[in-house]
Amino acid sequence: MREAVEKAGRSLVRDFNEVENLQVSIKGPGDFVSKADTKAEDIIISVLEKARPDIGFLAEESAFDGDTMRPLWIIDPLDGTTNFLHGIPHFAISIALSEGNRLVAGMIYDPIKDECFFAEDKKGAYLNDRLIHPSKRNKPAEAVFATGIPFIGKPMLRYKSFIDQISGFIPHTAGVRRFGAAALDLAYVACGRYDGFWEEGLYIWDIAAGILIMREAGGMVSDLSGKRINHWQASQQKEILASNVDLHNFMVDALSKK
């Protein structure tokens, strides 16, 4: 996994430095795909397939046969595509290894900062070579949260729901951030940079690695109502809440008031 993300990361950084020259196609309103994206995915699949030809793939830019019970690499070759295409240096590669309903390994790599967040089942979570844990903050007034904001093409109900959600946080917290890369948002909660994160409308490749990294770091992962989820359920519900242990109930309560 490390070889795959580092090799793909070098390719992304080269393309990021020439982002204005990339050929970009639109695959949906506000949802872009570039040659850099598909090239990175090809690199990752090539490295992983050579190492473990017995494992299948579920990747953002590739077709999938729907068999979620066999071992699978779950790949997002470029999380934060809009940031990338606007020259904003905040994006990541996300890879998880899934065996049925169990996440075995997860890795989120930020090639700009050369930060690699990773975890294995029951072996802890790490940032490069350092063991990580969520923050210990227990007062919302001292906490910073992250979220995603609905954009063009999303149902009107999503916009209204989001306004209600964020209204439960703004009066009570030290701030809410929107950096545009859900995988990194989860990694940042896992290492204590954020105290919590929530978002709706995500896909399995956005969150699979982050779920395992969060849990192995000692954090809480649930749906917005506080119920425990596995990665397949999260992708079906298209929502996730991640936090340190002390602020989980606050986040659930704040979101329930929408």
Side-chain angles (χ1 to χ4, degrees):
M1 292 171 73
R2 187 66 182 258
E3 179 186 354
V5 299
E6 288 183 347
K7 189 173 182 180
R10 289 192 293 270
S11 176
L12 286 175
V13 170
R14 284 194 298 270
D15 285 335
F16 181 73
N17 291 332
E18 299 182 15
V19 67
E20 292 182 355
N21 298 322
L22 284 174
Q23 294 184 28
V24 179
S25 62
I26 299 177
K27 63 179 180 182
D31 190 8
F32 303 99
V33 62
S34 68
K35 279 191 172 182
D37 201 333
T38 52
K39 189 197 308 182
E41 184 171 297
D42 289 343
I43 290 169
I44 293 165
I45 290 175
S46 176
V47 172
L48 295 177
E49 195 168 41
K50 183 178 178 180
R52 292 294 303 271
D54 55 314
I55 298 177
F57 294 92
L58 192 170
E60 181 178 10
E61 306 302 337
S62 303
F64 177 57
D65 63 12
D67 183 3
T68 61
M69 290 299 102
R70 63 191 174 106
L72 287 170
W73 298 111
I74 303 173
I75 302 167
D76 189 345
L78 177 53
D79 183 53
T81 308
T82 302
N83 285 349
F84 184 95
L85 293 173
H86 285 77
I88 300 170
H90 189 76
F91 52 88
I93 299 164
S94 177
I95 304 176
L97 177 57
S98 170
E99 294 181 354
N101 288 327
R102 177 170 165 256
L103 287 166
V104 176
M107 183 170 288
I108 297 168
Y109 181 60
D110 179 340
I112 295 294
K113 302 180 187 69
D114 192 28
E115 290 188 332
C116 186
F117 302 84
F118 65 94
E120 289 185 71
D121 186 30
K122 298 180 175 61
K123 293 186 178 179
Y126 294 81
L127 166 52
N128 295 336
D129 296 323
R130 177 173 60 87
L131 192 67
I132 57 174
H133 298 285
S135 73
K136 299 295 185 182
R137 297 182 189 91
N138 56 18
K139 298 178 181 178
E142 298 174 356
V144 172
F145 298 89
T147 189
I149 300 175
F151 48 88
I152 186 171
K154 301 299 181 182
M156 182 58 67
L157 287 175
R158 283 281 313 283
Y159 305 142
K160 294 178 179 177
S161 174
F162 176 76
I163 295 301
D164 290 339
Q165 289 175 0
I166 203 165
S167 296
F169 284 82
I170 291 174
H172 308 293
T173 70
V176 178
R177 305 287 185 262
R178 198 281 198 239
F179 277 10
L184 284 175
D185 288 335
L186 288 165
Y188 280 18
V189 177
C191 72
R193 293 175 181 173
Y194 294 144
D195 302 293
F197 163 70
W198 85 95
E199 188 168 354
E200 295 180 282
L202 296 170
Y203 295 95
I204 183 64
W205 46 78
D206 296 316
I207 58 178
I211 288 174
L212 183 62
I213 292 169
M214 270 294 304
R215 287 178 175 158
E216 287 297 309
M220 302 285 289
V221 182
S222 70
D223 65 14
L224 300 191
S225 69
K227 295 178 182 178
R228 182 180 171 86
I229 54 174
N230 66 36
H231 52 296
W232 296 118
Q233 290 172 327
S235 68
Q236 293 162 3
Q237 295 167 350
K238 299 182 180 176
E239 64 180 50
I240 193 166
L241 185 160
S243 71
N244 68 23
V245 173
D246 293 319
L247 291 170
H248 187 255
N249 287 340
F250 162 76
M251 292 189 69
V252 171
D253 290 345
L255 292 169
S256 69
K257 295 174 183 175
K258 64 179 180 177

